[in-house]
Amino acid sequence: DVVLTQTPPTLSATIGQSVSISCRSSQSLLDSDGDTYLNWLLQRPGQSPQLLIYSVSNLESGVPNRFSGSGSETDFTLKISGVEAEDLGVYYCMQATHAPLTFGSGTKLEIK
Amino acid sequence: QVKLQQSGAELVKPGASVKLSCKTSGYTFSTSYMSWFKQIPGQSIEWIGMIYAGDGGTGYNQKFKGKATLTVDTSSSTAYMDLSSLTTEDSAVYFCAIATYYYAYWGQGVMVTVSS
């Protein structure tokens, strides 16, 4: 199975601060169809996961543009440019290139 | 709009089985795929498996083979997951989600507690 290693496990940020989360894969996530199925999701407390970014860098409809994704092959980053209070929760990277689908261990974002 | 409504919380005894439902609306269920996930509170998310509503074809995470059985009822646009021979390790929140490469639509989750 593909292992996704997320760092850091926790982040503490002030409102307006920019933060980044890393996700490293044990295998390349470049699919034979040319796409890279690495997604970022946010799970707010007590809620189901919400898709933020799909295929590395595509912003899901309705998601604020302070969220951005980058990377390729095995190394990926989610950046929040100007954290807001509603951004608290656990961020997961998830890969859908290889079966079984797998998730990172999560990064908990706390607001100072 | 797309909606996935999961059944209510379950308290079940060890060794028993439970059937969870995920009723959908707002899209064409009969030509779509549905995935199920497990999340133990405070932990990450695991993919259990996927079913194609068109023909009932399934694919499972090897870890959950024999534990989970996925089915659909296209007449009611509902997906089901049976969990069998439950142990305390099966206590978790279970989510359904429309299976594309992107997983934009999720159910609200259902807590299953296995306890005597």
Side-chain angles (χ1 to χ4, degrees):
Chain A
D1 298 359
V2 173
V3 176
L4 298 178
T5 302
Q6 267 186 256
T7 55
T10 60
L11 264 177
S12 185
T14 56
I15 301 298
Q17 183 179 351
S18 292
V19 299
S20 292
I21 300 169
S22 170
C23 177
R24 290 189 170 165
S25 173
S26 61
Q27 300 177 33
S28 173
L29 299 183
L30 177 62
D31 193 71
S32 56
D33 66 6
D35 207 336
T36 300
Y37 297 110
L38 186 284
N39 307 322
W40 290 95
L41 301 96
L42 164 61
Q43 188 173 33
R44 295 187 174 95
Q47 296 188 17
S48 50
Q50 172 196 357
L51 180 66
L52 300 174
I53 300 283
Y54 63 92
S55 293
V56 181
S57 59
N58 295 280
L59 194 67
E60 170 66 357
S61 176
V63 174
N65 61 11
R66 63 179 178 275
F67 292 94
S68 62
S70 63
S72 62
E73 302 266 3
T74 61
D75 204 345
F76 305 93
T77 301
L78 174 72
K79 183 176 181 180
I80 311 173
S81 300
V83 166
E84 298 194 4
E86 65 182 18
D87 298 338
L88 72 90
V90 180
Y91 291 79
Y92 294 100
C93 56
M94 165 207 160
Q95 69 82 23
T97 298
H98 303 286
L101 279 67
T102 51
F103 291 75
S105 54
T107 296
K108 185 176 183 179
L109 176 62
E110 301 171 339
I111 307 298
K112 287 181 186 173
Chain B
Q1 73 276 31
V2 176
K3 289 186 178 179
L4 283 69
Q5 182 65 42
Q6 296 188 240
S7 45
E10 299 274 2
L11 173 60
V12 293
K13 294 190 184 308
S17 298
V18 69
K19 189 169 187 173
L20 308 180
S21 67
C22 175
K23 184 169 176 57
T24 75
S25 61
Y27 71 105
T28 306
F29 179 80
S30 60
T31 57
S32 68
Y33 294 81
M34 185 71 72
S35 273
W36 290 83
F37 299 87
K38 174 185 180 182
Q39 185 176 37
I40 295 171
Q43 297 188 20
S44 185
I45 302 166
E46 295 180 280
W47 178 72
I48 296 171
M50 177 190 303
I51 184 166
Y52 177 55
D55 62 7
T58 54
Y60 293 94
N61 185 336
Q62 185 69 29
K63 178 178 178 179
F64 293 96
K65 283 185 177 178
K67 170 62 64 178
T69 302
L70 305 183
T71 56
V72 293
D73 176 1
T74 53
S75 68
S76 64
S77 299
T78 303
Y80 297 94
M81 178 171 66
D82 271 291
L83 297 170
S84 63
S85 303
L86 291 165
T87 72
T88 55
E89 294 183 354
D90 298 315
S91 294
V93 178
Y94 292 87
F95 295 98
C96 58
I98 298 175
T100 64
Y101 284 108
Y102 310 126
Y103 290 89
Y105 299 100
W106 294 70
Q108 81 276 21
V110 56
M111 182 73 209
V112 174
T113 303
V114 182
S115 173
S116 55

